[in-house]
Structure formats: C-alpha cells, structure tokens
C-alpha cells in the first residue's frame, strides 16, 4: 500500500550484495563461537568419510595433540604426503597439497570449532577421561566436509559436567566378594586381582575452572 517505504530495486539489490560481502568477510576471518551446523568450504576437498570411514584411519594419526595437549591440532601437509606421494597423484586436489609442501606453505584450513578467548577447554583432560571424539564432534567418520555438530555453548558444557557428576554419585560402589566367595577362591584358585576402584571423574562447575 505505502510505496514510500519500499526501497527501489537497485538499492535493494546493492543492500543484498553488501550483506553477502559482510558474511563472506566474517567467514574468512573465522568468527569466534561459530554456530551448530557451521560447515565452511575448505581450500582442499579433504574428506573424513574417505579417510576415517572408508579407510579407517585413527583420528589421532592426524590429530596428535588430542590426548596430550590442549589443542587436538590439524596435521601438517607433510603428513598427507606419507600416502599421497603414491596415492592419487594425478588428482588436482592432491596437486594443491603437493604444491603447498614444495613451497613450504601451510594449507589455510578454515577453523570450524572455536570458543571465545575467555573460555578454557583442554582436549587432553577430556580424551584421557575416556570421552570419544564423536561425543562432542558428531559422526566425523561420515562427514565429507566437517560440520559443527553440537552447540558448544556454556550450557552444553555444564549439562555434561552435571550429568557426569550425578551419575557417579548414584552409581553403586564396586561390589567386593563376600567372605564365603573369598574362601572358595583362596582354596581353588590363585589370589584374586585386588579390586581397583574406578577413577572418580570430577568435571568442574565453578566459574574459574572454565574462565581463567
Ligand atoms: C588423514 C588425516 C586426518 C584424520 C585421520 C582425521 N582428521 Fe580430522 N581433520 C584433518 C584435516 C586436514 C582437517 C582440517 C580440514 C577439515 O576441516 O576437513 C581436520 C579437521 C577436523 C575437525 C575440525 C577442526 C576445526 O577446525 O574445528 C574435527 C572436529 C576433526 N577433524 C575430527 C576428527 C575425528 C573425530 C577423526 C577420527 C574419526 C579425524 N578428525 C581424523 C585431518 C584428519
Ligand atoms: C594413510 C594414507 C593417507 C593419508 C595420510 C592421507 N590420505 Fe588422502 N587419500 C588416501 C586414500 C587411500 C584415498 C582414496 C584414493 C582413491 O579414491 O582411490 C585418499 C583420497 C584423498 C583425496 C581425494 C582425491 C581425489 O581426487 O579423489 C584428497 C583430496 C585427499 N586424500 C587429501 C588428503 C589430505 C589433505 C591429507 C592430509 C591431511 C591426506 N589426504 C592424507 C590416503 C591417505
Ligand atoms: C568434551 C568435548 C570434546 C571432545 C571429547 C573432543 N573435542 Fe575436539 N573440540 C572441542 C571443543 C569445545 C573445541 C573448540 C576448542 C577451542 O576453541 O578452544 C574443539 C576443537 C577441536 C579441533 C580444532 C581446534 C584444536 O583444538 O585443534 C580439532 C581438530 C578437534 N577438536 C579434534 C578432536 C579429536 C580428534 C577428538 C578425539 C580424539 C576430539 N576433538 C575430542 C570439544 C571436544
Ligand atoms: C560429554 C561430556 C563433557 C562435555 C560436553 C564437556 N566436558 Fe569438560 N569434562 C568432562 C569430564 C568427564 C571431565 C572430568 C575429567 C577428570 O576428572 O578427569 C571434564 C573436565 C573439565 C575441566 C577440568 C579439567 C581441565 O581441563 O582443566 C574443564 C576446565 C572442562 N571440563 C571444561 C569444559 C568446557 C569449557 C566444555 C565446553 C566447551 C566442556 N568441558 C565440555 C566432560 C565433559
Ligand atoms: C564447564 C565450563 C564452564 C563453566 C563452569 C562456566 N562457564 Fe561461562 N562459559 C563457558 C563457555 C564455553 C562459554 C562460551 C560459550 C557461550 O557463550 O555459551 C561461556 C560464556 C560465558 C559468558 C559470556 C556469555 C555471552 O553471552 O557472551 C559469561 C558472562 C560466563 N560464561 C560466565 C560464567 C559464570 C559467572 C560462571 C560461574 C557461575 C561460568 N561462566 C561457569 C564455559 C563455562
């Protein structure tokens, strides 16, 4: 009805174009705390579905930091060449990797998961607690292109921390053999293994553990 609030065609188109430009620019700089579902295009079409699904490479073959340091890390291109000096050398995607190695230039992978600087997360403490990569990253072995599977908000972290703590409190203590059973064992068999109490996991919920 009111034509005066309608933008002329040209301006609208221009507005649309600049909105896209802003999106593209923030995409390039790797925005902090990306959303669930974020799945940027990568400079080389590396597929986790092929390498870890089809060929069953272990995650830590490439992400060597996951078990011993804060960051899992992304492999150097030289790791790719362990195989690709032989495999698919005629592929244009592999030739990009070979060129990067020859020029001693890193491949500029677009970072997908990134917490803001004020939040502290450490891979080693989670991986050595027995958590699988997939708990937090989804079915990476089926991903042709990696996507952020979980929200990775503070609420998401705390949910698991509270749930883990609650489950351990409600879990029954490990059962010890009763006297009769002990006696039977001592007569028949070598001494039973001493009972090992499972390690108590203590995921923190206080602010300063995650905001240091
Ligand atoms: C052959 C090497 C290789 C193997 C094996 C591998 N990855 Fe990766 N991974 C990469 C490379 C290269 C990237 C960066 C490019 C990309 O995102 O695809 C990456 C990226 C990722 C990312 C996203 C990192 C970010 O930017 O936030 C996650 C999560 C990840 N990998 C998890 C896994 C898991 C889980 C496994 C095992 C199921 C695995 N990877 C096995 C090489 C590998
Ligand atoms: C352990 C051996 C191995 C390692 C390490 C490895 N790849 Fe591969 N890659 C393969 C195999 C096997 C294929 C599948 C070849 C086929 O389809 O015949 C493949 C396929 C590919 C393809 C698809 C090529 C095409 O055109 O079909 C790309 C791209 C690729 N790899 C990139 C990488 C990158 C980047 C890395 C390092 C982060 C890497 N690979 C590390 C074994 C490896
Ligand atoms: C408890 C949840 C959790 C588990 C388990 C986990 N990750 Fe992560 N991962 C994260 C979070 C959160 C980030 C973002 C960290 C940041 O920005 O500081 C991340 C980031 C990454 C990244 C990119 C940044 C970096 O640290 O190098 C890679 C690669 C990655 N994870 C791979 C893995 C692999 C491989 C495993 C299993 C061996 C794994 N993750 C297990 C939560 C997890
Ligand atoms: C799926 C469950 C799970 C999720 C999701 C998770 N955690 Fe944890 N977290 C744990 C467990 C289990 C421990 C206890 C480890 C132990 O006691 O050995 C832990 C321990 C910690 C610790 C103490 C050890 C250390 O590294 O200093 C911090 C800090 C922490 N988590 C931060 C985070 C943050 C930040 C997030 C979200 C980005 C997160 N966690 C998501 C399960 C989880
Ligand atoms: C288990 C880890 C963990 C604990 C414990 C934790 N936080 Fe956070 N917090 C995070 C992560 C991860 C983020 C970043 C993601 C987000 O904004 O949700 C965050 C974000 C925040 C933000 C910024 C929110 C925003 O909108 O930008 C504030 C403020 C904050 N936390 C305060 C607190 C306070 C206060 C406590 C204690 C009562 C606390 N946090 C405990 C992990 C934690």
């Amino acid at each position: 009805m009111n034509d005066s609030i309608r933008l002329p065609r040209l301006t609208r188109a221009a507005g649309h174009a600049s909105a896209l430009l802003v999106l593209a620019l923030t995409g390039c700089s790797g925005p902090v705390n990306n959303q669930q579902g974020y799945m940027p295009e990568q400079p080389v079409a590396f597929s986790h579905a092929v390498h870890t699904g089809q060929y069953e490479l272990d995650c830590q073959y490439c992400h060597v930091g996951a078990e011993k340091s804060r960051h899992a890390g992304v492999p150097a291109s030289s790791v790719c060449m362990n195989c690709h000096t032989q495999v698919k050398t005629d592929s244009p995607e592999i030739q990009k990797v070979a060129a990067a190695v020859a020029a001693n230039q890193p491949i500029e992978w677009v970072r997908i998961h990134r917490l803001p600087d004020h939040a502290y997360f450490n891979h080693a403490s989670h991986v050595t607690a027995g958590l699988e990569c997939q708990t937090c990253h989804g079915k990476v072995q089926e991903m042709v292109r990696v996507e952020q599977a979980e929200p990775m908000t503070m609420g998401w972290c705390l949910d698991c921390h509270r749930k883990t703590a609650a489950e351990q409190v409600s879990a029954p203590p490990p059962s010890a053999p009763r006297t009769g059973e002990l006696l039977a064992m001592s007569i028949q068999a070598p001494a039973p293994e001493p009972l090992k109490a499972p390690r108590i996991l203590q995921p923190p919920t206080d602010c300063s553990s995650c905001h240091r």
Side-chain angles (χ1 to χ4, degrees), residues 44 46 59-65 72-84 96-98 100-102 104-109:
V44 173
F46 173 80
C59 305
Q60 295 191 44
Y61 177 91
C62 288
H63 300 289
V64 291
V74 170
S77 315
S78 56
V79 174
C80 314
M81 298 319 275
N82 287 347
C83 298
H84 287 293
K96 285 192 219 167
V97 183
V101 170
N104 203 13
Q105 291 289 318
I107 295 173
E108 305 280 345
W109 302 111

Side-chain angles (χ1 to χ4, degrees), residues 9-148:
R9 236 167 207 286
L10 234 165
T11 321
R12 266 213 318 246
H16 193 68
S18 57
L20 282 179
L21 185 66
V22 170
L23 275 180
L25 286 174
T26 45
C28 288
S29 60
V32 153
N33 196 18
N34 298 307
Q35 298 305 304
Q36 190 170 18
Y38 181 53
M39 188 172 67
E41 197 173 328
Q42 297 291 348
V44 173
F46 173 80
S47 164
H48 281 78
V50 168
H51 293 83
T52 63
Q54 202 178 334
Y55 288 95
E56 300 182 340
L57 274 183
D58 190 80
C59 305
Q60 295 191 44
Y61 177 91
C62 288
H63 300 289
V64 291
E67 205 170 35
K68 41 184 189 288
S69 57
R70 179 172 178 182
H71 293 288
V74 170
S77 315
S78 56
V79 174
C80 314
M81 298 319 275
N82 287 347
C83 298
H84 287 293
T85 48
Q86 316 281 330
V87 179
K88 283 270 175 178
T89 50
D90 56 342
S91 154
E93 293 300 308
I94 298 303
Q95 283 159 9
K96 285 192 219 167
V97 183
V101 170
N104 203 13
Q105 291 289 318
I107 295 173
E108 305 280 345
W109 302 111
V110 181
R111 174 91 173 253
I112 300 160
H113 308 78
R114 190 198 293 270
L115 297 177
D117 288 342
H118 62 75
Y120 176 83
F121 177 83
N122 186 316
H123 273 90
S125 42
H126 291 85
V127 174
T128 57
L131 291 172
E132 303 223 318
C133 315
Q134 284 81 354
T135 311
C136 300
H137 292 298
K139 293 182 178 161
V140 176
Q141 71 280 6
E142 294 174 8
M143 296 180 191
V144 172
R145 205 201 281 176
V146 179
E147 166 179 3
Q148 181 168 326

Side-chain angles (χ1 to χ4, degrees), residues 115 119-126 128-129 131 135-136 152-154 156-161 164 168 199-204 209-212:
L115 297 177
Y120 176 83
F121 177 83
N122 186 316
H123 273 90
S125 42
H126 291 85
T128 57
L131 291 172
T135 311
C136 300
M152 298 201 166
T153 55
M154 176 164 135
W156 175 77
C157 312
L158 281 169
D159 269 358
C160 179
H161 283 199
T164 307
Q168 292 191 116
R199 189 164 77 82
I200 309 276
L201 300 174
Q202 293 177 299
S209 290
C210 300
H211 302 288
R212 313 184 162 190

